[in-house]
Amino acid sequence: MFIGDVRRVQWRVRSTRTGVTSAAASVVLLLVALEITAGIAGFQGPLHSLFSDYVATPKSATVSWVALGVAIVGLTNRWRVLAVSVAAALDVGFAAERVLRGGVLTVGNGPMIVLTGLAVVAWRLWAGAERATALRTIAFGFLLIIATKVGDTWLHITPAVRPTVLDEYALLADHALAQASWVMGRLVEAGGPVLSALLHWVYIELPVAAMVVAIYQLRNVRTGIWPRHFLIRTFLVLGVIGPAIYVLFPVVGPVYAFGDYWPHALPPVDLTPAAVAFDDSTPRNCMPSMHTAWALAVFIHSRGGPFWLRWAGTFWLVGTIAATLGFGYHYGVDLVAGAVLCLTVESALREPVPGRVRSPLALVAFGSVFLVVLLLCYRYLAEAMAHHPLFFGSLIVAAMVVFSTAFYATFFGRTGERGRFVATGGGSDPLASTT
């Protein structure tokens, strides 16, 4: 029996190593393929963008710091302080050099260099559980960076593969949701520059909110407690599935497609919509709203935390929805599709509350069908949705209520004498507590 156990452990270790190697090779091949595609099309590819983050002007001032924040969760306090200090010092040096030669004032080089250095140190100098934990959190940090590079490249690809857009269909379909973008656009405009600046900040800094939630979820990994499900997994899966829909339903958004009208007046209603040619630079990244999907994921994963985390998750979800609509980046129908996508992915990754009879597979199936039906309705029943907005709007809202209620009933329960709800990610999820 003992020999059999040893063999099983050895087999699992070999399987894990094989899986990690295969995953790493797949990521490298993907990056190379996208870099070649970008070179042919004449825009910056992911490898070029990564190189810029190390020694030139970073693409984002936030993402690399978010990645470093996630990575250092697996380190000791001494190494955390050292990593942040060195990254900050390097950023100051790079930023000063850029400004002196007339470049832009931004940051991001430091955390990229330190993150790479940490990977080398952990691999070469550490051993055992300390090494495994550090490499795992560092890998998640790198994956977040790579995911953004792949996403940026994909946004450049979408205009090339889909020269026409379906905004006329989305506009008609959005009659069922009372043209939420036009309504919110006027409200944000009336709110003045302070509200606009706040919403811009919320919209742009969504990765920071995600980092805070992820760090809270992973706070106990150095003691060997790894949650079976946490926010980073959802973000990565959404990043793979969501952009694929961009080329299936190419939409640029009201501020681009109908900028002459938005947000003060609706365009003339054309009940014979068609796919129309658009420019070759604007990303077709409106359907579904990935900002909504990611913000909803942040909200869901913040539910098991303390009050301040739950409040922050709610604030970021509400602010993101207001921004996506209020700046004309999305139609209301895009937000519904993004929310359905998020709940479907979460249903596939989570484990139900112990003792619940509902199967997550049923939710995954319902969500998948729901999303497909929504896209088909937006495309082929847009005229009917504009003619009968109350009927279709009520159906969409009712279906969302049913889906959300079933999701809550499956993955959220009540526990303890005070009746606080518990969100379970399964197993030893540190969020599965009454904290």
Side-chain angles (χ1 to χ4, degrees), residues 36-330:
I36 293 173
T37 302
I40 295 174
F43 58 84
Q44 188 183 62
L47 295 178
H48 187 184
S49 182
L50 277 172
F51 178 77
S52 296
D53 284 356
Y54 281 104
V55 298
T57 302
K59 184 78 172 182
S60 170
T62 302
V63 173
S64 57
W65 274 105
V66 168
L68 181 62
V70 171
I72 63 176
V73 174
L75 309 182
T76 62
N77 288 334
R78 175 176 174 272
W79 276 98
R80 290 170 184 170
V81 173
L82 180 62
V84 173
S85 300
V86 173
L90 288 172
D91 253 356
V92 170
F94 273 96
E97 186 274 336
R98 261 192 304 271
V99 172
L100 289 176
R101 61 178 172 82
V104 298
L105 177 60
T106 188
V107 296
N109 305 99
M112 282 294 299
I113 295 171
V114 170
L115 191 61
T116 305
L118 287 174
V120 174
V121 169
W123 180 262
R124 299 292 297 175
L125 302 182
W126 298 343
E130 181 184 32
R131 178 194 191 197
T133 301
L135 287 177
R136 190 172 178 183
T137 54
I138 291 170
F140 280 123
F142 271 118
L143 282 174
L144 289 175
I145 294 173
I146 292 172
T148 62
K149 303 303 181 185
V150 172
D152 289 341
T153 305
W154 188 251
L155 294 184
H156 284 90
I157 292 175
T158 55
V161 298
R162 295 307 302 263
T164 60
V165 298
L166 302 178
D167 282 77
E168 290 188 1
Y169 293 91
L171 176 68
L172 283 183
D174 215 37
H175 276 62
L177 298 178
Q179 294 296 346
S181 183
W182 268 258
V183 173
M184 187 59 69
R186 287 193 286 268
L187 289 176
V188 170
E189 187 176 62
V194 174
L195 177 60
S196 179
L198 175 63
L199 293 181
H200 267 295
W201 177 73
V202 170
Y203 185 84
I204 294 172
E205 300 301 339
L206 178 59
V208 176
M211 178 190 69
V212 173
V213 174
I215 288 176
Y216 181 81
Q217 290 181 310
L218 300 176
R219 69 194 185 280
N220 294 322
V221 296
R222 281 195 50 78
T223 63
I225 302 176
W226 275 89
R228 293 186 183 179
H229 178 47
F230 46 97
L231 180 61
I232 297 175
R233 296 177 67 211
T234 301
F235 261 54
L236 294 175
V237 174
L238 285 173
V240 171
I241 299 175
I245 304 176
Y246 293 164
V247 297
L248 297 176
F249 204 109
V251 180
V252 294
V255 73
Y256 299 106
F258 305 105
D260 294 337
Y261 297 93
W262 186 91
H264 301 290
L266 283 173
V269 177
D270 184 0
L271 294 179
T272 58
V276 296
F278 207 69
D279 64 40
D280 58 357
S281 60
T282 305
R284 278 60 164 158
N285 64 334
C286 192
M287 179 72 73
S289 169
M290 293 306 298
H291 258 77
T292 299
W294 283 318
L296 180 56
V298 169
F299 171 81
I300 292 171
H301 283 264
S302 69
R303 295 305 87 193
F307 170 78
W308 64 267
L309 192 66
R310 298 196 301 271
W311 182 90
T314 303
F315 169 77
W316 235 274
L317 176 60
V318 173
T320 300
I321 291 174
T324 55
L325 292 173
F327 297 138
Y329 300 149
H330 291 279

Side-chain angles (χ1 to χ4, degrees), residues 309-351:
L309 192 66
R310 298 196 301 271
W311 182 90
T314 303
F315 169 77
W316 235 274
L317 176 60
V318 173
T320 300
I321 291 174
T324 55
L325 292 173
F327 297 138
Y329 300 149
H330 291 279
Y331 305 91
V333 290
D334 310 328
L335 270 65
V336 174
V340 172
L341 176 62
C342 174
L343 293 180
T344 304
V345 169
E346 278 289 332
S347 299
L349 296 177
R350 283 178 174 264
E351 291 184 3

